[in-house]
Amino acid sequence: MGKINAIITGVGGYVPDYVLTNEELSRMVDTNDEWIMTRVGIKERRILAEEGLGTSYMARKAARQLIQKTGVDPDTIDALIVTTSTADYKFPSTASIVLGKLGLKNAMAFDFWAACCGFLYTLDVASSMIQSGRYKKIIVIGADKMSSVTDYKDRQTCPLFGDGAAAVLLEATEEENIGLMDSYLRTDGKGLPFLHMKAGGSVCPPSHFTVDHRLHYTFQEGRTVFRYAVTNMSDDCALIAERNGLNKDNIAFVVPHQANMRIIEAVAKRLELPMEQVMVNIERYGNTSAATIPLALWEYEDRLKKGDNLILTAFGAGFVHGAAYLKWAY
């Protein structure tokens, strides 16, 4: 038996119907379209506004579309992994809820938490599971309901985030030189003070005080996060490119985490790539955290062809960061 590789064989996605525009945001906080577009490049974002619906709802929608598109038999799925920072509940896992709703009978399910880097990290873990030979088909879902942890009275952070989900099917193949070829993933533990949610965990459990003082929302020290993100995403992409003989002539697309248009442009510049070779949808969706990279793959899927070289890169709370080299399989 030859070496087993893990390949993506399909992508499904879901974004909520409700569109929150900059114009609408400007009626909620002191901001305007020009200010938001100049600083982050976001025009609008999707919001899951229906009461009682959480991250699992969007994850399920994306996974169901994926299953329909690929025609995969649900009973052949070995594992389902949801990567999210906005789980439905503290427990059980969001993945277990999605699995139950999809009716998967022969799979294990678990959540993976690596903030905005979640999809990148999970892709690596799921690929390793497949390469072990013990798993043949794994659904990986990046999903976040960022509106649930966004303070719509904070003009610095509320324009940034949106809701969405996207799912990929990872399968085993013995075909050579295809699939996830290489990855470089790192964690810099200095990130806590600059990007976190102050309350809701075991250090500071929920209380009247934490609710009254609005401590259950995303806190970000924007300037520091921006600086780290530009440096790490650019360096990580350059390292992956150099390690694998990739350059502007043979890279089909860079797929960056969609946090800030200026970060995306800096990464492209470092790789000497024109923006036409960079997957971008931040203007319409904002930062959907773990969902940004798979949502980009979902939107650009019809522009990809077998053998295309892709570099994926992300940065998130922790600080977690990295890049991966993916050779498209279909």
Side-chain angles (χ1 to χ4, degrees):
M1 188 169 156
K3 182 177 179 286
I4 300 170
N5 288 326
I7 55 171
I8 291 176
T9 56
V11 193
Y14 174 79
V15 289
D17 294 330
Y18 179 63
V19 178
L20 177 59
T21 63
N22 288 347
E23 200 272 324
E24 189 176 345
L25 267 182
S26 70
R27 298 198 296 269
M28 297 157 67
V29 290
D30 179 21
T31 191
N32 58 66
D33 179 71
E34 188 195 5
W35 191 90
I36 298 169
M37 284 297 292
T38 304
R39 280 159 184 76
V40 289
I42 299 168
K43 198 88 174 161
E44 57 190 42
R45 63 293 289 149
R46 300 298 184 96
I47 303 295
L48 185 63
E50 293 87 345
E51 205 163 316
L53 296 182
T55 297
S56 70
Y57 173 80
M58 298 185 294
R60 182 169 86 245
K61 287 275 201 180
R64 193 158 274 152
Q65 186 192 86
L66 172 71
I67 290 167
Q68 287 169 347
K69 274 170 71 173
T70 58
V72 66
D73 178 355
D75 290 346
T76 65
I77 302 296
D78 300 308
L80 182 145
I81 310 170
V82 173
T83 177
T84 185
S85 299
T86 54
D88 283 22
Y89 305 98
K90 280 289 181 186
F91 55 86
S93 70
T94 302
S96 68
I97 298 168
V98 175
L99 175 142
K101 295 285 190 183
L102 293 175
L104 305 186
K105 296 183 179 68
N106 299 309
M108 70 162 178
F110 62 92
D111 288 359
F112 193 104
W113 200 356
C116 296
C117 239
F119 183 77
L120 210 55
Y121 274 48
T122 310
L123 192 65
D124 191 81
V125 169
S127 295
S128 298
M129 290 167 66
I130 282 174
Q131 287 163 347
S132 76
R134 299 208 305 277
Y135 304 86
K136 302 286 190 291
K137 294 174 184 174
I138 300 176
I139 292 176
V140 173
I141 308 170
D144 269 300
K145 185 183 174 182
M146 292 305 292
S147 63
S148 68
V149 293
T150 297
D151 185 353
Y152 288 97
K153 292 185 176 180
D154 178 9
R155 70 189 293 264
Q156 301 294 334
T157 58
C158 75
L160 305 178
F161 300 107
D163 303 339
V168 300
L169 179 61
L170 271 185
E171 295 194 58
T173 182
E174 287 188 33
E175 186 180 343
E176 295 178 4
N177 200 33
I178 201 85
L180 186 66
M181 307 297 291
D182 191 14
S183 60
Y184 174 82
L185 306 173
R186 291 293 183 272
T187 302
D188 174 350
K190 302 187 191 82
L192 173 62
F194 310 109
L195 184 50
H196 59 263
M197 188 193 294
K198 294 183 189 304
S202 60
V203 167
C204 183
S207 66
H208 285 293
F209 178 89
T210 65
V211 172
D212 292 346
H213 288 79
R214 308 182 73 78
L215 302 182
H216 294 267
Y217 295 117
T218 301
F219 168 82
Q220 176 170 278
E221 208 292 297
R223 204 163 285 169
T224 304
V225 173
F226 177 85
R227 192 174 72 248
Y228 269 89
V230 167
T231 303
N232 285 307
M233 286 171 65
S234 299
D235 287 353
D236 296 350
C237 285
L239 184 145
I240 280 285
E242 188 180 344
R243 208 153 76 175
N244 293 279
L246 300 172
N247 55 52
K248 62 180 184 296
D249 299 321
N250 59 17
I251 295 171
F253 284 100
V254 169
V255 194
H257 170 51
Q258 312 282 309
N260 185 313
M261 194 63 200
R262 290 185 298 157
I263 297 173
I264 294 169
E265 287 166 350
V267 170
K269 189 177 178 184
R270 177 71 179 270
L271 291 172
E272 300 178 346
L273 283 180
M275 287 305 291
E276 298 81 60
Q277 284 168 257
V278 183
M279 293 191 188
V280 181
N281 58 19
I282 187 172
E283 187 173 319
R284 287 174 295 115
Y285 297 145
N287 182 350
T288 55
S289 194
T292 64
I293 289 177
L295 272 175
L297 292 174
W298 176 58
E299 288 214 306
Y300 281 74
E301 186 184 18
D302 60 356
R303 292 165 63 176
L304 297 172
K305 61 185 187 301
K306 185 170 181 174
D308 275 354
N309 293 321
L310 309 180
I311 294 182
L312 284 51
T313 185
F315 177 90
F319 292 129
V320 290
H321 61 93
Y325 168 29
L326 182 71
K327 194 178 270 284
W328 201 246
Y330 64 96

